[in-house]
Amino acid sequence: LVSTLYEHSDYVMGVSAAHEAKTFVSAGLRSEIKLWDLETTVRTSRLGLGRRRSSASSSDSRGGSPRGVLGDFDCDSASDASSCYACHINPSGSVLACGSTDGILRIWDTRLGERNDEGSMLPKLALKGHLGNIRCVRLNRAGTLCITGSSDKTIRIWDLGQQRCVNTFSIHKDSVWALDFDELHGQIVSGGRDGQVFCTSASGKLSTLLFEEENPVLSLAVRGKDGSNPSAGSDALKSAWSATSSSSIHYWDLTQPSSSDREGGGGGGKSGSYRERRHSSFVASTSPFSIKHSSLGKSAGRSKAEVTPLQRTPTLTIAGVPPIVKHEILSNRREILTEDTSGAICLWNVL
């Protein structure tokens, strides 16, 4: 552990790093969004300055702080109960995107912008369209395009120059909780509460069910193949990592033969079973009626046939420790009795 940062007053829901600028952003409940200088946070931790601070000594967003906070961002929300569940900053650190419980996507230019009376930077854009909490956000490298996933079961693509939504995908049965974007090949990989992970072309209607998890998908990281070929679809992906509400992490080698090919159900090549594995998703309009219609699963674009996942079992599993689901503090206030999901009961001495 290099450093522990205490500037947030509530749970932190998202973190994103701008590796070229050596900065990172954190966002959480109460709509608190902070931009940090990575080198300063590491240096202050080595000097022993990484202790919890009182609210009276909080950072000054106008000039940064010794703790490494470069600035605070104001969501400018009409609701005091609004919270940020997702954030992403592009590699150069120039554009920041955050999704909130009010369904609004907010965009900041971190280099300049109007500030409120407290010195927090106001958003440059506030884009409306989602009907529920925005749970995941991804920017392209240039910061001109943003992809969002929401509890309204849809994925939206936003053109930040045009300041509008240019595409809406309705392919999930439940909330979309995780996104990754292979910009080189133009492929969006999404997962969510339904446990399904899809690869969808950002420029077309075609979507492929890559694999299915037993638990809700919380995070995804994909790696594409070398070379640019947007028309390759899911074939452009080399591998994927997935993390779910379980304590294990899965690695999926997407270059391996498909499930149906291994089971002898396909004709081989790029015909037969390959085409059957493709899932033609419907691109909804941006009108509220169409989004409601698609979120109920009534979209004409969704096939009634059962969709076969590209992979059925992960190539590698990094097993985690079963999470604790029950605990009891004993009368001596020194020992705690716990039970995990596997049924194991342990006695802990916390002193």
Side-chain angles (χ1 to χ4, degrees):
L1 178 64
V2 176
S3 182
T4 302
L5 309 174
Y6 295 102
E7 295 292 336
H8 282 272
S9 63
D10 212 323
Y11 288 109
V12 175
M13 305 303 294
V15 175
S16 177
H19 60 271
E20 293 176 2
K22 296 183 179 179
T23 60
F24 65 96
V25 63
S26 58
L29 304 187
R30 303 188 184 183
S31 294
E32 292 180 338
I33 308 168
K34 298 181 182 293
L35 182 67
W36 305 79
D37 179 79
L38 181 59
E39 292 182 341
T40 303
T41 58
V42 173
R43 184 171 62 252
T44 53
S45 67
R46 290 173 178 171
L47 295 174
L49 302 177
R51 296 185 292 271
R52 186 184 297 272
R53 305 174 74 202
S54 66
S55 57
S57 60
S58 59
S59 64
D60 180 0
S61 58
R62 292 182 178 88
S65 84
R67 295 287 310 284
V69 178
L70 297 176
D72 294 290
F73 299 85
D74 185 3
C75 271
D76 193 27
S77 174
S79 172
D80 293 335
S82 178
S83 294
C84 296
Y85 273 69
C87 65
H88 195 238
I89 192 168
N90 67 332
S92 65
S94 60
V95 180
L96 167 64
C98 283
S100 303
T101 52
D102 56 12
I104 298 177
L105 171 66
R106 292 177 173 85
I107 306 294
W108 288 266
D109 184 336
T110 62
R111 299 164 297 184
L112 49 90
E114 183 182 355
R115 296 179 182 270
N116 62 14
D117 295 337
E118 297 176 352
S120 297
M121 188 176 292
L122 296 172
K124 181 180 180 181
L125 298 175
L127 304 175
K128 299 180 180 180
H130 280 296
L131 300 179
N133 184 10
I134 298 176
R135 298 294 301 263
C136 43
V137 176
R138 282 293 181 273
L139 287 163
N140 67 343
R141 184 178 182 84
T144 58
L145 194 75
C146 188
I147 304 169
T148 55
S150 169
S151 57
D152 65 9
K153 309 176 188 179
T154 65
I155 299 167
R156 282 178 174 264
I157 302 178
W158 307 81
D159 187 312
L160 302 185
Q162 299 180 30
Q163 301 183 21
R164 68 184 184 93
C165 175
V166 293
N167 256 339
T168 304
F169 299 95
S170 177
I171 53 179
H172 286 274
K173 302 173 184 176
D174 212 324
S175 302
V176 183
W177 286 359
L179 280 176
D180 201 4
F181 181 43
D182 180 9
E183 185 175 354
L184 181 63
H185 303 96
Q187 302 300 312
I188 303 168
V189 179
S190 61
R193 191 174 180 180
D194 57 8
Q196 295 182 319
V197 175
F198 288 94
C199 174
T200 305
S201 171
S203 59
K205 299 182 180 181
L206 195 61
S207 181
T208 302
L209 177 59
L210 297 178
F211 52 86
E212 291 180 297
E213 292 278 10
E214 295 181 356
N215 300 287
V217 179
L218 301 180
S219 184
L220 291 166
V222 298
R223 181 181 179 185
K225 296 177 181 177
D226 296 334
S228 175
N229 183 11
S231 63
S234 63
D235 287 344
L237 300 181
K238 185 176 182 180
S239 61
W241 289 90
S242 62
T244 69
S245 56
S246 74
S247 56
S248 297
I249 299 175
H250 292 152
Y251 171 78
W252 305 80
D253 185 350
L254 302 177
T255 63
Q256 295 299 314
S258 68
S259 304
S260 54
D261 288 340
R262 290 195 299 267
E263 293 167 4
K270 291 194 174 182
S271 61
S273 64
Y274 175 82
R275 290 177 180 168
E276 293 174 3
R277 295 196 304 272
R278 312 300 286 185
H279 180 88
S280 297
S281 64
F282 132 83
V283 181
S285 75
T286 56
S287 69
F289 175 78
S290 297
I291 300 300
K292 288 180 180 179
H293 185 73
S294 65
S295 68
L296 293 173
K298 297 179 180 179
S299 160
R302 182 173 295 261
S303 172
K304 293 182 180 180
E306 185 69 24
V307 181
T308 303
L310 199 63
Q311 301 290 336
R312 292 190 183 276
T313 57
T315 309
L316 173 69
T317 298
I318 300 178
V321 177
I324 294 172
V325 292
K326 293 180 182 180
H327 76 279
E328 184 70 31
I329 301 175
L330 301 187
S331 57
N332 58 17
R333 315 299 294 179
R334 236 184 17 246
E335 297 174 321
I336 300 176
L337 202 61
T338 63
E339 180 181 357
D340 60 32
T341 53
S342 68
I345 299 175
C346 298
L347 180 63
W348 303 81
N349 190 323
V350 296
L351 297 181

